[in-house]
Amino acid sequence: SGKSRPMRILQYVQNTAVQGDANSVISAVDSYCANVEWAMNVGDKKGEILDAVVLDVRPRWVLELGTYCGYSTMRIARLLPPGARLITLEMNHHYAQVAKQILGHAGLDSQVDLLVGASSALIPQLKKKFDMDKFDLVFIDHWKTSYLPDTKLLEECDLLASGTVLLADNVTCPGAPEYLHYVRNSPRYKSLYFPSQLEYLRVEDGMEKSVFLG
Ligand SMILES: Nc1ncnc2c1ncn2CCCCCNC(=O)c1cc(-c2ccc(F)cc2)cc(O)c1O
Ligand SMILES: [Mg+2]
């Protein structure tokens, strides 16, 4: 039942996870997608790399590009210091609707602002909309061909400070070759590859952590 894959994930979460317990919601999504049907969440293996980066950065302002069902949104939001904010951008209204409900089940909706629209249209509005200046952490997980143009847009909009961390999912599979070439060759970034596996599968993937040098 459930018309779409995100809807089926939401129903499984509502039927099995403990309301208000983010870790039980994360585990429910992982067990559904590992055992019932695959979905493009960052997953539990790469999720541990994401967790480690969030804990190391202790960010006040976080931007996520590509929400999907809100899985990585939850992983980030549950580790934020008090008063920190996570802004997540999702193109697809249906995905955004499901993500809102999954975040609500986890009790994490107060730290998260979910905007629906194209990242290229929304990024230039963020400073004014949220009265903020720079992001401390950006998690990039949307269209793989948008990684590079949106990184350049973040630079142009003066949303990156010296020390801002960009963490990009899927740089090996499906791959983001132009993005990788840019962050690995630009003198404005210090880049490091974290090898891992594609979510729920024995396929190589990895995440690229790139620190903006200003
Ligand atoms: N606000 C915005 N602006 C622009 N684009 C926006 C957006 N909001 C959303 N999108 C559009 C993102 C659509 C989903 C992006 N993610 C992916 O496409 C993705 C694909 C795989 C995959 C791997 C192996 C396979 F065989 C098949 C698929 C794995 C992943 O971890 C992925 O993140
Ligand atoms: Mg991904």
Side-chain angles (χ1 to χ4, degrees), residues 109-142:
D109 32 357
S110 61
Q111 291 99 311
V112 179
D113 293 286
L114 201 168
L115 304 185
V116 182
S119 47
S120 56
L122 293 173
I123 286 170
Q125 302 173 29
L126 297 177
K127 273 189 195 256
K128 235 187 228 125
K129 195 173 174 64
F130 293 96
D131 185 28
M132 52 84 61
D133 187 27
K134 313 278 191 201
F135 286 107
D136 305 296
L137 173 63
V138 182
F139 180 57
I140 311 173
D141 193 22
H142 60 338

Side-chain angles (χ1 to χ4, degrees), residues 38 40-42 46 65-67 89-92 95 115 117-120 122 141-144 146-147 150 169-170 173-174 198-199 205:
W38 185 90
M40 59 183 172
N41 316 117
V42 75
K46 290 185 287 178
L65 303 179
T67 313
L89 310 184
E90 177 50 58
M91 185 88 156
N92 179 308
Y95 293 172
L115 304 185
S119 47
S120 56
L122 293 173
D141 193 22
H142 60 338
W143 273 319
K144 309 315 159 194
S146 297
Y147 283 28
D150 282 352
D169 189 26
N170 309 116
C173 175
L198 187 63
E199 47 267 30
D205 188 18

Side-chain angles (χ1 to χ4, degrees), residues 7-159:
M7 273 305 290
R8 294 192 290 272
I9 293 169
L10 172 61
Q11 278 169 352
Y12 184 81
V13 161
Q14 288 170 333
N15 295 340
T16 61
V18 176
Q19 173 95 26
D21 178 346
N23 289 318
S24 86
V25 177
I26 289 165
S27 302
V29 175
D30 281 332
S31 64
Y32 183 81
C33 296
N35 303 310
V36 182
E37 53 177 334
W38 185 90
M40 59 183 172
N41 316 117
V42 75
D44 47 350
K45 280 196 174 65
K46 290 185 287 178
E48 288 179 13
I49 300 168
L50 173 60
D51 289 359
V53 170
V54 175
L55 289 169
D56 180 52
V57 174
R58 290 186 57 71
R60 168 80 185 73
W61 286 99
V62 186
L63 175 65
E64 175 179 65
L65 303 179
T67 313
Y68 190 43
C69 294
Y71 176 89
S72 49
T73 322
M74 286 193 287
R75 290 200 78 114
I76 297 166
R78 85 195 202 290
L79 298 177
L80 290 181
R85 296 211 64 70
L86 167 54
I87 300 167
T88 183
L89 310 184
E90 177 50 58
M91 185 88 156
N92 179 308
H93 274 274
H94 176 62
Y95 293 172
Q97 197 50 37
V98 168
K100 262 193 172 52
Q101 294 177 80
I102 288 178
L103 286 161
H105 198 88
L108 289 169
D109 32 357
S110 61
Q111 291 99 311
V112 179
D113 293 286
L114 201 168
L115 304 185
V116 182
S119 47
S120 56
L122 293 173
I123 286 170
Q125 302 173 29
L126 297 177
K127 273 189 195 256
K128 235 187 228 125
K129 195 173 174 64
F130 293 96
D131 185 28
M132 52 84 61
D133 187 27
K134 313 278 191 201
F135 286 107
D136 305 296
L137 173 63
V138 182
F139 180 57
I140 311 173
D141 193 22
H142 60 338
W143 273 319
K144 309 315 159 194
T145 51
S146 297
Y147 283 28
L148 181 52
D150 282 352
T151 296
K152 291 183 172 172
L153 184 59
L154 287 166
E155 291 174 13
E156 284 151 24
C157 294
D158 198 23
L159 282 162

